[in-house]
Amino acid sequence: MEIAVVGSGYVGLVTGACLAQIGHKVTCIDINVEKINKLKKGLTPIYEPGLELMLKDLIKKKRISFSSSIKSGTKDAVAIFIAVGTPSKSNGEADLTYVENVAREIAENMHSYKLLVEKSTVPAETGYRIRRTVQMNLPKKYRKAGGSSSFNFDVASNPEFLREGSAIEDFMHPDRVVVGVESKKAEEIFREIYKPLKPRMIFTDLKSAELIKHASNSFLATKISFINSIAQVCDRVGADVLKVAEGMGYDKRIGRAFLDAGIGYGGSCFPKDVDAFVHLSHKSGYDFILLEAVRKVNEVQRRAFVRMIEDKLWIVKNKTIAVWGLSFKPNTDDMRSAAALDIIQTLQKEGANIKAFDPQAMVNAQELLPGVTMVKDMYCAVKGAHCLLALTEWAEFKTADFKKVYNLMQQPLIFDGRNMFAGHNLEKFGFEYYGIGRGLSK
Ligand code: UGA
């Protein structure tokens, strides 16, 4: 099937590449000409494992192409996926300017049936608004009285559940594919699109599909804030959150996933989506106090980590602090709402010198953290340091040579914001070790 994907960010690129990989002919569109020119050469603007290789192969086989024009890029497409950014306004509400612009431009260039698919995370009722925008902006010769047109078009919602760092795997092996449709024809097109994956498909109305995405991300964020609250209690009563999570997780109704206590969730999705859902609920007349608490717990978690460092380090001013990991989670170079940003900035304000290493995110991080010295590997970071903060659980940190780390550091003090060294028994190397909710930080 001919498919166009508008917006070549994380979601758009992965979706476009994977749809091409399963046999469709895909055009990825982006307003940014420089990005499109790079993509044409097979260079990805983001780090996502496996993506660049896959794109290079698809370009060679002519199964994917790139364009900066909605007009030419959507001309032959039956389905057009909209995957543009939906940033937050200052009140938390999603800013849908890009979605509206794209819907209008698609309409202005529409001459036959198209299926417009919302892929970005959008508030319920966006589908209805896209439909109106398209109706009002179709070429005049196709418009008919009463808001109808001489040919049909459909709007659908097909939220993505991809995780950065494992997005390709998630696309190829989805737990479910959720689709909100308004017509049988749209449903048939989706069945055709996803047929090669043989997924469990959930068809709903448009608004329910939009809500499924918000509800899923909010629920996962709730799980994280819940276990982080448990971690706070564990620290105070001397229990171990890892054991608690294990004990809870074997209950099939609960599950162990997303019960990793740490310095809170970050990224481009959870913080923004929770804000947007709180706002959406409030606007619809319901105060979602549970989610407001989820958000607050996430902020508190980062502050509590800093307080622990201040307490154990005693004087922060002029101390050299080593940081391992900057991205909001491993296997990505994404720094959006990364816990490392808040934590490092607070310590810098108190006069600490920060030396940091991250396997992928240092270029992005340097722009956001100008005063931080980025170093070439994890051992350079700890040289002469008064303490080490482990902020992102990259696999290579887990196999570090801790004898070497001990010898390089000025003081043997480790704060593990992700409990990634929980099983390492770092005390035996001579370290004073503090994790999250291990009943040890008191
Ligand atoms: C999240 C969802 O998991 C995807 O299903 C969804 O498609 C995506 O948002 C989106 O809306 O686009 P992502 O933001 O890539 O994906 O990252 P996650 O793997 O979900 O992690 C989010 C944050 O939660 C990270 O900062 C991670 O460190 C943190 N986390 C996760 C915890 O602190 N504890 C956990 O147990 C799990």
Side-chain angles (χ1 to χ4, degrees):
M1 191 180 296
E2 298 243 1
I3 296 175
V5 181
V6 187
S8 298
Y10 274 104
V11 176
L13 265 187
V14 173
T15 305
C18 291
L19 286 171
Q21 184 72 15
I22 61 171
H24 303 294
K25 193 158 179 254
V26 176
T27 306
C28 288
I29 303 166
D30 201 284
I31 200 168
N32 183 334
V33 180
E34 200 187 321
K35 192 191 261 185
I36 289 297
N37 287 339
K38 275 193 177 161
L39 283 166
K40 281 179 179 163
K41 292 181 201 145
L43 302 172
T44 47
I46 48 160
Y47 172 74
E48 180 62 39
L51 184 61
E52 196 152 287
L53 257 179
M54 186 190 262
L55 278 178
K56 285 203 166 101
D57 183 53
L58 290 165
I59 294 169
K60 211 160 72 195
K61 292 179 178 150
K62 295 197 166 36
R63 277 158 58 186
I64 197 162
S65 57
F66 301 94
S67 169
S68 51
S69 153
I70 287 191
K71 185 176 179 184
S72 62
T74 60
K75 198 165 136 271
D76 300 318
V78 180
I80 306 170
F81 286 75
I82 302 175
V84 292
T86 55
S88 295
K89 295 186 195 172
S90 54
N91 62 358
E93 189 179 10
D95 180 352
L96 299 176
T97 312
Y98 300 129
V99 175
E100 193 216 28
N101 287 346
V102 167
R104 193 174 338 105
E105 212 177 324
I106 292 172
E108 286 164 359
N109 293 290
M110 212 176 200
H111 302 282
S112 58
Y113 176 87
K114 306 267 179 214
L115 169 64
L116 271 69
V117 186
E118 305 164 354
K119 199 71 186 160
S120 316
T121 304
V122 289
E125 83 162 24
T126 307
Y128 152 77
R129 293 196 179 275
I130 292 179
R131 162 167 287 288
R132 262 170 65 82
T133 305
V134 173
Q135 251 154 9
M136 288 197 280
N137 289 279
L138 282 173
K140 289 206 175 88
K141 59 182 174 184
Y142 300 129
R143 289 187 221 161
K144 285 190 173 167
S148 65
S149 49
S150 26
F151 57 81
N152 280 337
F153 68 91
D154 272 306
V155 178
S157 165
N158 175 212
E160 55 85 18
F161 300 103
L162 312 176
R163 288 162 303 173
E164 286 179 23
S166 56
I168 293 176
E169 174 69 17
D170 289 348
F171 185 98
M172 295 299 178
H173 304 101
D175 290 343
R176 78 306 203 187
V177 170
V178 171
V179 187
V181 283
E182 293 177 315
S183 79
K184 199 73 201 158
K185 178 165 180 168
E187 182 177 328
E188 289 313 320
I189 293 175
F190 274 107
R191 286 197 192 282
E192 192 61 33
I193 291 175
Y194 286 107
K195 201 165 153 191
L197 296 177
K198 299 190 185 77
R200 174 183 293 148
M201 296 200 67
I202 317 283
F203 285 98
T204 70
D205 59 281
L206 255 172
K207 285 185 185 172
S208 301
E210 289 166 338
L211 266 196
I212 287 170
K213 173 62 195 248
H214 271 301
S216 301
N217 272 6
S218 298
F219 185 75
L220 292 171
T222 305
K223 270 189 111 173
I224 298 170
S225 279
F226 184 85
I227 200 68
N228 281 337
S229 299
I230 298 290
Q232 290 293 335
V233 179
C234 284
D235 268 339
R236 284 161 179 78
V237 302
D240 183 350
V241 75
L242 290 176
K243 298 263 162 39
V244 177
E246 189 188 359
M248 288 170 67
Y250 279 117
D251 185 326
K252 283 198 200 73
R253 297 167 302 173
I254 299 173
R256 174 63 182 79
F258 279 73
L259 289 181
D260 290 324
I263 40 180
Y265 59 78
S268 64
C269 304
F270 285 178
K272 181 165 76 80
D273 289 359
V274 169
D275 280 357
F277 206 27
V278 167
H279 188 275
L280 172 85
S281 311
H282 182 73
K283 211 168 140 189
S284 69
Y286 177 69
D287 279 329
F288 210 142
I289 45 177
L290 176 64
L291 274 189
E292 284 171 22
V294 165
R295 189 163 61 179
K296 192 154 178 211
V297 168
N298 204 50
E299 287 161 17
V300 166
Q301 200 62 11
R302 292 176 187 188
R303 284 207 297 275
F305 187 66
V306 172
R307 266 205 308 277
M308 177 165 73
I309 297 163
E310 290 163 350
D311 179 38
K312 306 297 173 196
L313 202 53
W314 189 24
I315 307 293
V316 174
K317 198 171 171 195
N318 293 331
K319 289 279 161 57
T320 299
I321 298 184
V323 173
W324 283 1
L326 296 163
S327 53
F328 82 96
K329 65 171 190 177
N331 302 322
T332 176
D333 61 354
D334 199 339
M335 284 298 299
R336 286 176 288 181
S337 299
L341 292 173
D342 283 349
I343 292 165
I344 290 175
Q345 278 160 352
T346 309
L347 294 169
Q348 275 181 316
K349 271 193 208 123
E350 293 178 33
N353 303 311
I354 313 282
K355 281 207 291 176
F357 171 72
D358 186 285
Q360 290 294 337
M362 288 197 289
V363 175
N364 289 343
Q366 188 73 83
E367 276 179 39
L368 302 163
L369 297 165
V372 170
T373 308
M374 302 290 170
V375 296
K376 69 175 192 331
D377 64 41
M378 56 183 161
Y379 299 109
C380 287
V382 293
K383 197 163 173 223
H386 295 95
C387 69
L388 164 63
L389 317 186
L391 303 184
T392 318
E393 66 276 35
W394 286 90
E396 65 184 86
F397 298 150
K398 293 181 192 164
T399 53
D401 176 348
F402 279 100
K403 201 163 167 227
K404 187 169 167 184
V405 173
Y406 181 87
N407 288 332
L408 285 168
M409 285 181 76
Q410 169 82 26
Q411 289 185 175
L413 187 52
I414 296 184
F415 298 98
D416 182 357
R418 301 286 176 190
N419 286 338
M420 67 179 116
F421 307 127
H424 283 52
N425 193 6
L426 292 183
E427 288 83 358
K428 79 167 185 272
F429 294 95
F431 289 105
E432 211 175 293
Y433 168 77
Y434 298 99
I436 305 285
R438 312 295 315 286
L440 299 166
S441 7
K442 275 254 148 193

